[in-house]
Amino acid sequence: MTTIYLKPKKEESLKRFHPWVFSGAIARVVLDANHQNAAPDEGELVSVRSAANEVLGVGHWQIGSIAVRILAFGEEHLPTCFWHERIRAAYQVRQAIGLIRPDNNTFRLIHGEGDFLPGLIVDVYADTAVIQAHSVGMHVFRNEIADAIIAEVPQVQHIYYKSDDTLPFKAPVEGDRVGWLMTNDKRPMANDLEYWSLENGLSFRIDWLRGQKTGFFVDQRENRALVERYASNKDVLNMFCYTGGFSLYALRGGAKTVDSVDVSQKAIDLVNINVARNFPKATNHTAVAADAFEYLTAQKNAGKTYDLIILDPPAFAKHRDAVKNALRGYQRINAKAIEMIRPGGILFTFSCSQAVDKEAFRLAVFSAAAQVGRKVRILHQLHQPQDHPINIYHPEGEYLKGLVLYVE
Ligand code: SAH
């Protein structure tokens, strides 16, 4: 196996179980005999040692500033049954936190570093798991991972692989970046009218073939439940609604009206399907395909106001260098929403940009409130749910944050 030797003292973060080795920490690379190139192959398993030749761990080699992502600390090779053991442990956590129930079969099974599997995301929707590889190393092991999921997670019978948007764009990979890995004749089709995934008793159609991410935003489950608590008798706007997660909870919570808005017509079609399935008699829901800024401006000019607004935009900053613009974007969109809230109304506002930390996000929302000149108090500070755990040694895993504001 190829061995990576670190510079002196660069082993310290690995000894504290931080799973990344940055390229600047590497003193030299000793390739094993199978190499034609002068460097390890992207996705190759490599062994990492300190300057003093201590075994630190085994992980995936990557081209870029994060050179190795450690899978097993203190090991030179991947232990036998590695994938089964990691997946079983992750499933046990989801059982222990009460996510596997007759009325809930939608959950994140593997959350990358948070489940000690850097580069791997797995979401489960009823009997289908969707695997997303963020590294070539995970792509290489996709079939082993699929086997382990089938063996360890009783509800899963089909595995869809969806890594077209997440694998490094230029990486040469063998095999398809999307497609079924494991299925049988009865495999569910995304347009199958009988195929539904349940979240807290609400049914959702999940389009893993064409949908965003793995098909659904599992990470808002707990925050949606909080919207349900506040929705009674309110006029609600769910902005950036995607397939209508927050809208369904607001309707169940007794909202007077719910308006769902998203720029994607495909998402809006799914919102309508989901509302019709859960609330076939509802006449108080409308779904509109529109740009958020344009919609808010037009509604405001028409004198429209709301009691409760949810703002859950896509990540405005995908990288650190985009943070400044992202903060301006958050300020602008939040100012527009705060302006449209009736006195005594509530705003749920989120950021899923990992690069924008919670202090910076709060400052952007503060600036929005100050700009509009409304009296605003924070009722809740929200974050990602229990099936998106943060490895305490890898604080970078924290990405979702939200504020619930009371607007006078
Ligand atoms: N709240 C959703 C997830 C939102 S993801 C849920 O609970 O499932 C962000 C959404 O914003 C995506 O569906 C995307 O289509 C939408 N979006 C992106 N840019 C937009 C824009 N300019 N105006 C309106 N919606 C937009």
Side-chain angles (χ1 to χ4, degrees), residues 212 216-217 220 224 238-246 261-264 267 290-293 312-314:
Q212 301 181 31
F216 191 60
F217 291 84
Q220 288 288 23
R224 291 178 187 131
N238 179 11
M239 178 53 77
F240 306 101
C241 64
Y242 189 45
T243 56
F246 285 103
V261 180
D262 197 285
V263 76
S264 153
D291 169 75
F293 288 92
D312 184 23

Side-chain angles (χ1 to χ4, degrees), residues 13-233:
S13 70
L14 287 190
K15 287 196 165 165
R16 286 193 307 267
F17 305 109
H18 189 285
W20 297 348
V21 176
F22 289 96
S23 54
I26 295 175
R28 68 199 160 91
V29 173
V30 179
L31 294 172
D32 70 16
N34 306 322
H35 285 83
Q36 275 132 24
N37 301 333
D41 298 324
E42 176 126 37
E44 178 179 340
L45 275 181
V46 296
S47 157
V48 180
R49 290 177 178 241
S50 68
N53 206 23
E54 272 172 293
V55 172
L56 297 171
V58 58
H60 284 139
W61 178 263
Q62 247 181 272
I63 297 167
S65 75
I66 304 171
V68 184
R69 293 181 184 219
I70 298 290
L71 295 169
F73 289 97
E75 306 278 353
E76 240 195 315
H77 298 278
L78 266 199
T80 47
C81 302
F82 173 79
W83 300 104
H84 284 253
E85 277 168 16
R86 282 287 155 91
I87 284 164
R88 188 181 315 140
Y91 183 64
Q92 281 167 354
V93 172
R94 276 66 183 169
Q95 280 179 310
I97 59 183
L99 285 180
I100 322 288
R101 307 189 310 262
D103 69 334
N104 193 84
N105 55 25
T106 307
F107 59 93
R108 176 155 291 193
L109 173 66
I110 301 292
H111 185 60
E113 282 83 352
D115 285 292
F116 311 112
L117 288 172
L120 181 66
I121 296 294
V122 181
D123 287 333
V124 174
Y125 304 119
D127 61 1
T128 300
V130 181
I131 300 183
Q132 199 172 60
H134 288 249
S135 67
V136 177
M138 286 298 178
H139 175 81
V140 170
F141 280 102
R142 65 199 179 286
N143 290 311
E144 283 83 348
I145 295 166
D147 281 341
I149 295 171
I150 292 281
E152 301 298 338
V153 183
Q155 77 184 64
V156 173
Q157 291 173 38
H158 314 279
I159 308 237
Y160 191 68
Y161 185 59
K162 189 168 189 282
S163 302
D164 43 349
D165 292 335
T166 54
L167 281 173
F169 178 61
K170 287 193 190 135
V173 297
E174 278 180 31
D176 293 337
R177 291 168 184 244
V178 279
W180 291 98
L181 289 182
M182 195 88 67
T183 185
N184 55 35
D185 294 345
K186 295 209 196 73
R187 86 174 173 223
M189 304 304 292
N191 59 0
D192 183 343
L193 286 175
E194 289 316 307
Y195 191 76
W196 298 92
S197 195
L198 274 175
E199 184 186 90
N200 287 329
L202 291 164
S203 301
F204 288 91
R205 168 73 49 77
I206 314 284
D207 185 349
W208 48 78
L209 299 180
R210 289 168 303 259
Q212 301 181 31
K213 308 276 166 133
T214 63
F216 191 60
F217 291 84
V218 184
D219 58 0
Q220 288 288 23
R221 181 186 53 247
E222 309 300 324
N223 303 330
R224 291 178 187 131
L226 190 62
V227 162
E228 180 172 359
R229 266 173 57 191
Y230 284 119
S232 176
N233 219 21

Side-chain angles (χ1 to χ4, degrees), residues 251-320:
L251 287 167
R252 192 167 66 179
K256 201 190 299 167
T257 65
V258 177
D259 293 342
S260 301
V261 180
D262 197 285
V263 76
S264 153
Q265 181 63 50
K266 271 195 287 186
I268 292 300
D269 293 344
L270 279 170
V271 179
N272 286 324
I273 289 172
N274 288 332
V275 171
R277 164 82 184 191
N278 291 275
F279 306 98
K281 297 199 188 110
T283 52
N284 57 343
H285 176 260
T286 56
V288 181
D291 169 75
F293 288 92
E294 286 172 14
Y295 182 89
L296 289 172
T297 305
Q299 293 293 307
K300 180 170 178 257
N301 292 342
K304 177 91 184 159
T305 55
Y306 288 97
D307 300 305
L308 196 163
I309 298 180
I310 300 128
L311 279 187
D312 184 23
F316 282 172
K318 296 238 157 70
H319 301 288
R320 302 230 153 258

